[in-house]
Amino acid sequence: QKEVEQNSGPLSVPEGAIASLNCTYSDRGSQSFFWYRQYSGKSPELIMFIYSNGDKEDGRFTAQLNKASQYVSLLIRDSQPSDSATYLCAVRYSGAGSYQLTFGKGTKLSVIP
Amino acid sequence: EPEVTQTPSHQVTQMGQEVILRCVPISNHLYFYWYRQILGQKVEFLVSFYNNEISEKSEIFDDQFSVERPDGSNFTLKIRSTKLEDSAMYFCASSPTGTTEAFFGQGTRLTVV
């Protein structure tokens, strides 16, 4: 059973601060890792993906992956009120023709003006 | 920017009725997926579709469900004899390959009464 765990939050940060969102996964065969943002009542919107150990930066967002610890994180710098949403971690195993995403329950982020 | 489109945005149906949810994936994508999200719960994988056949399905995707690509653009999810517990947001997604990022449509909210 592939599990993806996230702290449900809410995580509250002041505007301009760094928000740190964390995710752990159970299957060591997992190969691809994704962060989606979901506003209430809306669909998941892809923010970043990461495949290799280390950091990947895109604008205000940095994804960090540590496969040995089965841990992936998302840092949001200079947080804005518009970043307030639920952030979903998704993991893809990609073994034996499996391409499905396994999602965590999401962390609700609230950026306080 | 290309996007996945879903229709209808909201569907209300009576228990026991059949519904068809429609999706137009991004045009050059080869892999198509259906996910669902029951209110307040995590996004769950239903089925993936590649080369005009189901490539993977979850335990949720039982005989009540079927998928079809009736032409070169549409991808449908049929739910036969709907039950109250089928009420959820249903998301269609597509990806260029099985290992790259998946993009989600805006979803169809299915309400079974």
Side-chain angles (χ1 to χ4, degrees):
Chain A
Q1 184 82 6
K2 301 177 178 64
E3 298 287 343
V4 177
E5 299 290 339
Q6 296 181 255
N7 187 326
S8 61
L11 173 66
S12 294
V13 299
E15 183 175 355
I18 295 175
S20 178
L21 305 162
N22 305 314
C23 171
T24 59
Y25 59 95
S26 62
D27 193 335
R28 287 193 173 274
S30 299
Q31 298 181 355
S32 310
F33 307 88
F34 305 86
W35 283 99
Y36 287 85
R37 176 173 62 198
Q38 187 176 34
Y39 293 110
S40 182
K42 302 296 184 182
S43 63
E45 174 192 6
L46 181 68
I47 298 176
M48 289 195 69
F49 56 89
I50 186 167
Y51 302 146
S52 304
N53 276 330
D55 295 0
K56 179 181 179 182
E57 186 174 317
D58 184 0
R60 295 187 296 115
F61 300 95
T62 299
Q64 299 174 316
L65 174 62
N66 184 326
K67 290 188 177 181
S69 301
Q70 295 174 240
Y71 177 91
V72 58
S73 65
L74 179 70
L75 300 178
I76 307 174
R77 288 180 298 280
D78 188 24
S79 297
Q80 300 297 308
S82 58
D83 294 327
S84 297
T86 297
Y87 288 79
L88 309 179
C89 174
V91 175
R92 176 179 278 149
Y93 172 56
S94 296
S98 174
Y99 302 118
Q100 65 175 277
L101 295 174
T102 301
F103 283 84
K105 290 185 177 180
T107 298
K108 187 171 184 178
L109 173 67
S110 180
V111 180
I112 311 301
Chain B
E1 185 172 328
E3 59 180 17
V4 178
T5 57
Q6 292 185 243
T7 55
S9 57
H10 191 188
Q11 173 94 45
V12 181
T13 189
Q14 289 197 327
M15 192 168 49
Q17 296 298 303
E18 175 182 287
V19 295
I20 297 176
L21 310 183
R22 291 182 167 80
C23 168
V24 179
I26 296 173
S27 63
N28 62 344
H29 286 189
L30 301 179
Y31 287 77
F32 316 125
Y33 313 88
W34 284 101
Y35 289 81
R36 80 173 184 188
Q37 187 176 31
I38 295 170
L39 186 64
Q41 298 187 24
K42 63 181 178 181
V43 176
E44 300 175 290
F45 169 77
L46 293 178
V47 65
S48 61
F49 193 85
Y50 169 71
N51 199 25
N52 284 319
E53 61 182 24
I54 291 174
S55 54
E56 188 178 15
K57 60 183 180 179
S58 71
E59 293 178 352
I60 303 169
F61 194 89
D62 58 20
D63 292 344
Q64 183 193 8
F65 295 89
S66 62
V67 290
E68 190 177 38
R69 188 158 164 83
D71 53 43
S73 59
N74 290 284
F75 179 50
T76 63
L77 174 68
K78 182 188 291 186
I79 309 175
R80 288 180 284 274
S81 188
T82 50
K83 299 176 279 194
L84 294 176
E85 54 264 38
D86 294 328
S87 295
M89 281 287 283
Y90 287 81
F91 297 112
C92 175
S94 69
S95 61
T97 72
T99 58
T100 49
E101 60 274 23
F103 296 90
F104 284 71
Q106 80 277 21
T108 293
R109 180 174 299 281
L110 176 65
T111 303
V112 182
V113 297

